[in-house]
Amino acid sequence: MNGIPSTARVQHALATATVDLGIIESNVRFLKSLPDAERELMAIVKADAFGHGMIPISHAMLRAGADWLGVAHLSEAIELREAGITAPIFAWLATLDTDYRPGIEANVDLSISSRLDAVRIAEAASSVGMTAKVHLKIDTGLHRAGSPVELWPQLLAEISSADWAKSLHVAGIWSHLSDPGEADGKANGIQYQAFAAAVAVAASFGIKPEYLHLSSSASVGRFGKASPGTAQLNLSRAGAGLYGIDDRGVGVKPAMTLESRIMQFRRVPAGSAVSYGGDWVSDRATNLALVPLGYADGIPRCIKGASVFCRGQRLPIVGRIAMDQFVVDAGDLQLEVGDQVILFGTGELGEPTALEWAQWAGTIEHEIYTGLGPRVARRYLNDKN
Ligand SMILES: *Cc1c(COP(=O)(O)O)cnc(C)c1O
């Protein structure tokens, strides 16, 4: 139907997100092959691989040449290990409740932004009789996590000489950019300079780790082989671009198609108010189609001007999005219960893209993808695992 490869066959699912792992793989290869790309690529699979499904996506990314996997939470890293993934994994977020021990035992690289992080990780490592691999984070301007520049020498002094720090192995120094896709690269350059300075300070304490990482998708290769001096970046952390979110306009492709089926179809007279509050009223007799997806499934309630793709046409969503369903105005088009409705895809058939949904909702594609709820079944094309 409509040329989409094998539509939802998942029984009982109200909607299906079909992810083409072949596209994911080519996005990985594409970012890795950008001019001056860092030697190694960490594929970021946090938040269930941006809603695409962490385990199948991780296998595909590694198959395509990703060297590392990156996640925010340690629990995500452990899930990857439990799925049998042995590649290097970096997990960078923790709270005071985080028990680092299972992460250290699972050979997960951890992040340190402060003395408190360092002490807690070192204690966890010595309590299991192991060395923890850590990446020291310097704040170069994002002002999120990371050591403030003024505390950096003190942190390095302790890590390089304190007895309690002997169970730490510094494997990396890293930071994160505020605006990796910026056109002129000016703010990026300032952050890179701050990073290079922090790397030089670390070297003065004898800390010369194997990995230096700063770039995310939109800046892969921007500081590559051209970068002078001490801070030769050799690892990038790419998320968005691998899912086809093209912040930099390089030509990566979306891999997910979200589709559902019409569950009810009816003709209504002019003057029919649709959905809660009745704030959309038909100005003519028209055909309405009901789609079983709502804001609980990640369809933003705030969308304005959104449409879906059905039988080769874009049809507007009318009335408020409910928790579980929404209504489409089909005009005089005759549809049938069970017809495929594509919410978004690659755009190649004329269907909307996740980028358009993001614009209709006043947000970014990341939020559209990660918002998809558990009632949406995930299916994979080109799964070679
Ligand atoms: C999410 C995230 C990334 C990936 O950034 P993209 O813009 O999605 O490529 C990299 N590093 C950190 C710390 C992140 O939180």
Side-chain angles (χ1 to χ4, degrees), residues 1-240:
M1 221 184 285
N2 289 335
I4 275 280
S6 51
T7 56
R9 306 250 187 273
V10 180
Q11 295 300 307
H12 312 302
L14 297 171
T16 309
T18 302
V19 178
D20 187 338
L21 295 175
I23 295 176
I24 295 281
E25 287 189 47
S26 55
N27 289 341
V28 172
R29 287 192 293 267
F30 185 82
L31 281 197
K32 270 204 91 159
S33 66
L34 282 176
D36 289 334
E38 287 80 351
R39 186 188 74 220
E40 294 186 28
L41 183 134
M42 181 188 294
I44 304 301
V45 294
K46 64 188 177 187
D48 204 22
F50 286 51
H52 288 60
M54 186 171 70
I55 302 300
I57 292 289
S58 295
H59 285 302
M61 302 258 194
L62 292 169
R63 207 157 53 219
D67 305 280
W68 287 70
L69 296 175
V71 289
H73 293 255
L74 200 45
S75 55
E76 298 174 302
I78 287 170
E79 216 182 307
L80 289 169
R81 286 286 183 250
E82 282 169 352
I85 288 171
T86 56
I89 299 176
F90 179 50
W92 62 81
L93 270 192
T95 69
L96 283 179
D97 301 321
T98 303
D99 180 0
Y100 287 109
R101 290 172 300 181
I104 295 164
E105 289 174 316
N107 191 29
V108 175
D109 286 40
L110 301 167
S111 178
I112 286 179
S113 287
S114 67
R115 182 179 194 279
L116 180 61
D117 294 344
V119 169
R120 292 188 63 235
I121 293 173
E123 276 175 1
S126 51
S127 79
V128 293
M130 293 179 69
T131 300
K133 286 186 287 172
V134 297
H135 298 229
L136 307 182
K137 185 170 194 188
I138 176 76
D139 178 16
T140 54
L142 180 61
H143 297 129
R144 226 164 56 175
S147 167
V149 170
E150 58 278 15
L151 297 180
W152 184 242
Q154 197 182 321
L155 181 65
L156 295 163
E158 289 207 85
I159 286 176
S160 59
S161 63
D163 259 357
W164 59 261
K166 289 205 169 19
S167 56
L168 300 179
H169 168 72
V170 180
I173 296 177
W174 73 294
S175 190
H176 197 40
L177 297 169
S178 302
D179 187 10
E182 69 168 351
D184 65 4
K186 228 169 141 187
N188 288 344
I190 293 168
Q191 283 194 261
Y192 172 76
Q193 290 308 326
F195 185 76
V199 170
V201 176
S204 75
F205 284 92
I207 296 179
K208 294 176 188 167
E210 183 182 356
Y211 290 102
L212 300 177
H213 46 116
L214 178 64
S215 300
S216 45
S217 314
S219 59
V220 169
R222 279 214 166 151
F223 313 94
K225 297 174 186 86
S227 58
T230 50
Q232 186 62 64
L233 304 181
N234 52 15
L235 176 62
S236 63
R237 301 180 312 276

